Amino acid sequence: MDEEKRFDISEELKKLPDRPGVYLMHDQYDTIIYVGKAVNLNNRVRSYFREKIGRGPKIDKMVSLIERFEYIITDTELEALVLENNLIKEYRPKYNTMLRDDKTYPYIKVTINEAYPRIYFSREMKKDKARYFGPYTSAAAVKDTIDLINKLYRLRTCTRSLPRDCGKGRPCLNYHIGQCSGACTGEISKEKYQEQLKGALDFLNGNYAPIQRELREKMQAASEAMQYEEAIKYRDLLESVINVSQKQKIEDSAQGDKDIVALARDEHDAVVQVFFVRAGRMVGREHFYMTHTEDETTSDIMTSFLKQFYAGTPFIPKEIMLPEVTEEQTVIENWLTEKKGSRVYLRTPKIGQKEKLVELAAKNAALVLNQDKERIKREEGRTIGAVKEIQELLSLEGIVRMEAYDISNISGFENVGSMVVYEKGKPKRSDYRKFKIKTVAGPDDYACMREVLTRRFLHGLEEKQISRMQDEDTQEQNTKDQDTQEKNVKEKNKRKQDIKEQDETIEIGKFNRFPDLLLMDGGRGQVNIALEVLKELNLDIPVCGMVKDDNHRTRGLYYHNKEIPIDRSSEGFKLITRIQDEAHRFAIEYHRSLRTKDQVHSVLDDIPGIGPSRRRSLMKAFDTLEDIKMAAVEEIMERAGLPRGAAEKVYAFFHK
């Protein structure tokens, strides 16, 4: 960019208007790193570029990255809040406190605008004159409830347009099994159907007593009439209704829709817990993680949550209970009221049952946060802690990346190799690689391993060379003319193509990271092969063998020409075992996939009259393909158990 065209922050600050609006901060790559709203853009944006006065390291770091800013003016602070939400959702800036939530909640939809209404599952809440119940946190529970309601009240589930389509076509299976009253047949009047619907709506509103009473009466009547199958049916329905009713443990005499919101936090993260109360009963609860909360007050975090969560949920209750007053409370209330179409209140209860519910939500949030911390602690013990144990055992430092290798074949035929990668004790599957062995025939694992390691590190060195060339070009691009730059680009592309032609399994840019520790599936022999390859390529990487006992179980590590015992109950031992098993699994899986896809083609497949069974017999009887070529007819018959005719075909194939 020309000097005169550069963004001059000090000059642009002078142009800021004294108006409400939204501002967007960009870094040197023009990535939006922060979005904010302001009642007064001039005052708010200027505050970022004043002297650092207690605003915290996160904001200081963000400000240091700002290369330019832009802003959008609005007529009101409410419009700015809506626009801020939309931009945060679109760009997900790095320095905004973010709600980690991709959920869409299930609803029960009742199409009361239809002549013969239906009840069904919905993930959206639209302004379509239908009635919605929810949101619920369990899709399975919603589906079970709908299924129960349709059994109880025999409402239709079809999509026919009624009454227009009454009498057209045959009724569905639900009608024949007694789970639909047959509105499409004209057998039930609109008034009678509406009565059944009213019972279903009462059920959804939590009024279970009438249906329980009715089912008990029907069950008793059927039992007295010795219609026991019918009685069992009513008994099962009654039990289902009782189960649904007993799930409603929290009741509120106020009989309203509200969300109870509270949070818990530590030095890095925050968890927000929400209780969903509908018609006075808690229908579900959910927790949400907030990230980038360092240097944010509890009020700031809650404000960010309210704006992001209620921007994305279609249902907004009349009341939202909070543990404390938040910033921007008035503007958020006005925004939610406008979004809902009726008055919404943010309340902070101080006494009574509502205050206890807020406390309960806060306790649940703290529980989730603590449980998550314990889980992370256990996970770190299995990963980072295990790596530290291995470091201490081998007297090494700074182990982050470990690579392990394995060879797989069937009696020496069609060798393949695998490379698995672990970083900070966790598998990094995007860096796993597979190799088809090209230069080795027969079951020679040492030679196969030499080929795999040589190819892996040679291509890594080649990629590092290309990377250096690219860095040099970047540094010199301002001093070189266009022709020179184009020439360098052509040379680099040719070099990449040369690498690719040498080995079709290579993906350019995937091998230039070298391991801090090389793990070999075996002892002295495999370790020495790896050390020889590294010495030939002038690389200094620690190599450790994973030694197994006679039962093929890991028993220790081979390092610096000696076997080091390892505690079998330690996390380090468990990690070594997982890595060894993963390398073995990946190699076998690759070999199996090739066989499944008929990509492993043996020359034995080309011998006329030799099918899969005889081919396997040959592979088991002879160590290598060369041994089969050198064998006489009698030897083939004796060792592989083939009849003379088949043995002669094998011999003739190799002695044409």
Side-chain angles (χ1 to χ4, degrees):
M1 184 183 292
D2 296 334
E3 195 66 36
E4 62 270 21
K5 294 182 181 179
R6 291 185 184 278
F7 189 90
D8 189 327
I9 289 179
S10 60
E11 286 298 317
E12 294 301 323
L13 287 174
K14 298 175 184 177
K15 302 175 186 178
L16 286 165
D18 295 317
R19 296 276 303 275
V22 173
Y23 54 93
L24 300 91
M25 303 300 195
H26 295 251
D27 66 9
Q28 61 178 328
Y29 305 107
D30 210 32
T31 301
I32 295 173
I33 59 175
Y34 188 79
V35 173
K37 80 163 183 65
V39 179
N40 186 309
L41 284 167
N42 190 1
N43 294 341
R44 182 60 174 159
V45 177
R46 280 178 177 275
S47 69
Y48 286 99
F49 301 96
R50 298 190 184 116
E51 290 185 11
K52 306 172 185 177
I53 307 174
R55 59 191 180 191
K58 186 181 88 168
I59 300 299
D60 289 342
K61 177 63 176 178
M62 185 267 287
V63 172
S64 72
L65 298 174
I66 297 174
E67 286 291 315
R68 71 180 185 91
F69 61 81
E70 59 178 315
Y71 53 88
I72 303 168
I73 61 172
T74 60
D75 288 331
T76 65
E77 185 183 5
L78 180 58
E79 290 178 0
L81 184 145
V82 174
L83 180 57
E84 177 196 32
N85 266 327
N86 292 337
L87 293 174
I88 288 174
K89 187 180 294 185
E90 179 178 356
Y91 294 111
R92 302 193 67 79
K94 178 178 180 180
Y95 286 93
N96 279 92
T97 299
M98 296 300 299
L99 167 63
R100 281 174 19 201
D101 178 41
D102 297 315
K103 302 177 181 70
T104 56
Y105 293 97
Y107 293 82
I108 294 176
K109 179 176 181 178
V110 185
T111 58
I112 57 175
N113 52 312
E114 295 179 339
Y116 292 88
R118 295 166 293 148
I119 295 180
Y120 59 86
F121 180 99
S122 176
R123 286 278 184 186
E124 295 179 286
M125 186 176 178
K126 302 177 181 178
K127 293 182 178 180
D128 54 3
K129 298 182 180 180
R131 187 170 176 185
Y132 291 85
F133 293 84
Y136 301 95
T137 55
S138 170
V142 170
K143 292 174 182 176
D144 289 344
T145 301
I146 293 172
D147 185 55
L148 175 60
I149 289 171
N150 285 327
K151 286 180 180 178
L152 291 171
Y153 300 100
R154 302 174 67 215
L155 301 178
R156 72 185 184 100
T157 59
C158 65
T159 58
R160 295 183 185 185
S161 179
L162 302 180
R164 186 193 67 188
D165 294 338
C166 279
K168 296 180 181 179
R170 292 180 297 179
C172 65
L173 179 62
N174 283 346
Y175 169 77
H176 292 292
I177 63 176
Q179 290 190 13
C180 176
S181 54
C184 63
T185 66
E187 294 182 14
I188 182 171
S189 67
K190 184 177 178 181
E191 291 73 22
K192 181 64 175 176
Y193 191 91
Q194 288 292 335
E195 285 182 19
Q196 294 180 188
L197 177 68
K198 183 180 181 302
L201 292 175
D202 287 343
F203 184 94
L204 287 171
N205 282 316
N207 187 7
Y208 305 112
I211 189 62
Q212 289 184 22
R213 184 168 56 250
E214 181 183 342
L215 289 172
R216 281 196 181 95
E217 290 173 356
K218 289 183 177 180
M219 178 181 67
Q220 187 66 29
S223 178
E224 291 174 356
M226 293 187 290
Q227 296 174 347
Y228 299 118
E229 290 185 3
E230 196 75 5
I232 290 173
K233 182 182 77 171
Y234 290 128
R235 183 203 63 189
D236 292 343
L237 287 173
L238 178 60
E239 288 179 354
S240 297
V241 173
I242 292 171
N243 286 336
V244 169
S245 64
Q246 287 180 344
K247 288 179 181 178
Q248 304 297 340
K249 295 298 183 183
I250 295 180
E251 295 193 9
D252 181 3
S253 58
Q255 291 291 317
D257 293 340
K258 59 178 66 69
D259 287 351
I260 315 295
V261 185
L263 70 81
R265 64 179 304 191
D266 59 17
E267 62 274 17
H268 298 298
D269 296 304
V271 171
V272 178
Q273 182 84 38
V274 183
F275 288 165
F276 302 108
V277 178
R278 302 294 178 261
R281 288 177 170 81
M282 192 177 83
V283 298
R285 66 176 185 173
E286 194 62 82
H287 64 268
F288 305 86
Y289 285 92
M290 303 292 291
T291 59
H292 310 315
T293 58
E294 302 90 340
D295 307 322
E296 298 280 347
T297 66
T298 300
S299 177
D300 290 337
I301 298 169
M302 183 62 79
T303 298
S304 295
F305 171 80
L306 293 173
K307 291 192 289 187
Q308 293 179 58
F309 177 72
Y310 288 105
T313 183
F315 182 85
I316 300 172
K318 183 178 180 179
E319 291 182 302
I320 299 172
M321 302 295 172
L322 305 173
E324 62 182 65
V325 177
T326 66
E327 292 184 12
E328 307 174 22
Q329 179 153 328
T330 301
V331 71
I332 292 175
E333 275 189 343
N334 293 337
W335 166 60
L336 293 175
T337 296
E338 185 177 293
K339 196 169 187 288
K340 181 178 176 64
S342 60
R343 188 65 180 156
V344 176
Y345 300 91
L346 299 185
R347 303 193 189 280
T348 309
K350 299 299 182 183
I351 58 173
Q353 186 181 17
K354 292 177 181 178
E355 194 257 347
K356 290 179 180 178
L357 283 174
V358 173
E359 286 184 1
L360 182 62
K363 289 177 181 177
N364 275 268
L367 180 65
V368 170
L369 189 63
N370 289 333
Q371 287 176 340
D372 202 49
K373 288 173 68 175
E374 289 299 317
R375 180 188 59 77
I376 292 171
K377 187 176 179 180
R378 290 194 301 270
E379 181 65 21
E380 286 182 349
R382 295 179 68 250
T383 56
I384 297 173
V387 173
K388 288 180 179 177
E389 288 182 13
I390 295 170
Q391 283 183 168
E392 293 173 3
L393 199 64
L394 303 178
S395 300
L396 294 172
E397 293 181 356
I399 296 178
V400 176
R401 181 183 175 99
M402 296 185 287
E403 293 181 5
Y405 297 81
D406 194 19
I407 303 297
S408 179
N409 59 61
I410 298 180
S411 299
F413 292 87
E414 305 296 352
N415 296 297
V416 297
S418 69
M419 162 184 152
V420 300
V421 180
Y422 275 63
E423 287 192 355
K424 296 181 180 180
K426 297 181 181 180
K428 189 178 182 184
R429 292 183 173 84
S430 61
D431 282 10
Y432 284 18
R433 291 295 172 263
K434 309 166 184 175
F435 300 84
K436 287 183 184 178
I437 305 302
K438 299 180 175 182
T439 62
V440 182
D444 190 340
D445 284 357
Y446 288 167
C448 291
M449 188 62 72
R450 181 185 295 277
E451 179 186 328
V452 168
L453 293 174
T454 301
R455 286 164 57 186
R456 182 263 180 271
F457 287 108
L458 268 179
H459 290 301
L461 292 169
E462 295 280 6
E463 288 182 10
K464 286 179 180 290
Q465 182 181 349
I466 290 174
S467 180
R468 283 194 296 270
M469 291 168 58
Q470 291 172 333
D471 291 342
E472 291 170 1
D473 283 349
T474 301
Q475 294 172 2
E476 298 174 6
Q477 63 182 350
N478 294 328
T479 59
K480 291 183 178 180
D481 57 32
Q482 187 68 25
D483 291 340
T484 306
Q485 290 185 36
E486 291 178 357
K487 182 180 178 182
N488 285 344
V489 170
K490 289 179 180 178
E491 288 178 355
K492 286 186 294 183
N493 289 339
K494 184 178 185 304
R495 186 60 177 148
K496 288 183 179 181
Q497 188 60 36
D498 289 343
I499 296 173
K500 189 68 177 173
E501 289 174 356
Q502 292 170 19
D503 189 342
E504 68 275 8
T505 66
I506 297 301
E507 295 179 57
I508 298 300
K510 300 296 184 181
F511 284 90
N512 56 3
R513 285 203 61 196
F514 285 177
D516 303 306
L517 178 64
L518 205 58
L519 295 168
M520 308 306 299
D521 187 27
R524 181 194 300 269
Q526 293 281 18
V527 169
N528 287 339
I529 290 294
L531 290 171
E532 289 173 11
V533 171
L534 294 173
K535 183 177 180 181
E536 291 169 4
L537 299 176
N538 293 317
L539 295 174
D540 184 16
I541 299 172
V543 181
C544 178
M546 299 179 288
V547 184
K548 292 186 177 182
D549 58 22
D550 294 338
N551 296 318
H552 210 65
R553 293 179 300 186
T554 306
R555 74 173 186 225
L557 301 176
Y558 184 82
Y559 186 63
H560 282 174
N561 294 318
K562 63 179 181 180
E563 185 174 323
I564 304 173
I566 182 169
D567 181 5
R568 289 178 178 268
S569 63
S570 68
E571 291 296 341
F573 175 82
K574 294 174 184 176
L575 176 58
I576 290 291
T577 302
R578 289 198 298 272
I579 293 174
Q580 195 169 33
D581 291 343
E582 179 71 350
H584 189 56
R585 179 201 64 79
F586 192 54
I588 291 176
E589 187 179 88
Y590 178 42
H591 202 286
R592 185 182 296 123
S593 69
L594 292 177
R595 295 199 312 272
T596 302
K597 297 174 184 177
D598 292 325
Q599 292 176 343
V600 175
H601 181 80
S602 171
V603 69
L604 300 180
D605 294 331
D606 297 328
I607 304 176
I610 301 299
S613 178
R614 289 175 177 174
R615 184 172 66 248
R616 284 194 295 270
S617 297
L618 286 167
M619 293 167 67
K620 290 179 181 178
F622 294 91
D623 292 335
T624 68
L625 195 63
E626 195 64 29
D627 290 342
I628 300 176
K629 292 179 182 179
M630 300 297 294
V633 172
E634 287 74 14
E635 186 180 1
I636 295 173
M637 292 172 59
E638 181 181 347
R639 293 179 60 176
L642 269 58
R644 176 172 291 278
E648 288 176 347
K649 289 178 181 178
V650 174
Y651 182 85
F653 180 81
F654 290 112
H655 296 84
K656 294 178 181 177

